[in-house]
Amino acid sequence: MKLAEKIHTDGRKLYSYPFRIYWLDCAGDQAPARIFSVPKKIYKRAVKRNLIRRRTREAFRHVCGKYPALEGVHLMLIYTATEILDYGRISEDLETALGKIQ
């Protein structure tokens, strides 16, 4: 079973617009995984999917320092909005969503 499937089936989940978040505690010696997903069903063009993925990764990089509890957690973020949000909005919403995990 792939790690993404394991996080999806065995992990806990949360929906906070525009993200669906799945997380699972890491087994002792594993490094935490970070998976950012943008569905091809919603965004057909790879350029748009890559743009959203880049914005989400950058926002996560800036926000993750505020949440030390995420250090030992596998995390999967799925972008579910039907419009492309700007970086500031993604960053705010991501911070709100990660605050709910704590």
Side-chain angles (χ1 to χ4, degrees):
M1 177 182 281
K2 291 184 178 181
L3 182 59
E5 292 172 357
K6 186 172 181 164
I7 295 171
H8 188 269
T9 57
D10 298 339
R12 297 168 52 194
K13 66 181 174 179
L14 163 76
Y15 180 76
S16 179
Y17 182 82
F19 298 103
R20 183 174 300 128
I21 301 174
Y22 295 90
W23 72 96
L24 180 67
D25 291 331
C26 293
D29 58 342
Q30 286 185 337
R34 306 289 187 238
I35 301 171
F36 301 94
S37 176
V38 180
K40 192 173 184 180
K41 187 174 185 178
I42 297 174
Y43 296 99
K44 305 293 185 197
R45 299 281 182 179
V47 173
K48 292 181 180 180
R49 290 194 308 272
N50 290 338
L51 172 69
I52 294 167
R53 202 173 297 120
R54 279 195 312 270
R55 287 181 181 175
T56 305
R57 282 187 188 134
E58 185 66 15
F60 182 79
R61 189 177 70 80
H62 282 110
V63 171
C64 71
K66 297 178 184 178
Y67 303 102
L70 294 176
E71 293 299 322
V73 179
H74 295 302
L75 193 66
M76 182 166 58
L77 294 153
I78 302 172
Y79 187 87
T80 59
T82 55
E83 67 276 352
I84 298 175
L85 301 176
D86 63 342
Y87 171 77
R89 177 76 189 274
I90 288 175
S91 181
E92 291 171 6
D93 293 338
L94 185 60
E95 191 168 355
T96 303
L98 294 177
K100 292 179 182 180
I101 290 176
Q102 301 297 320

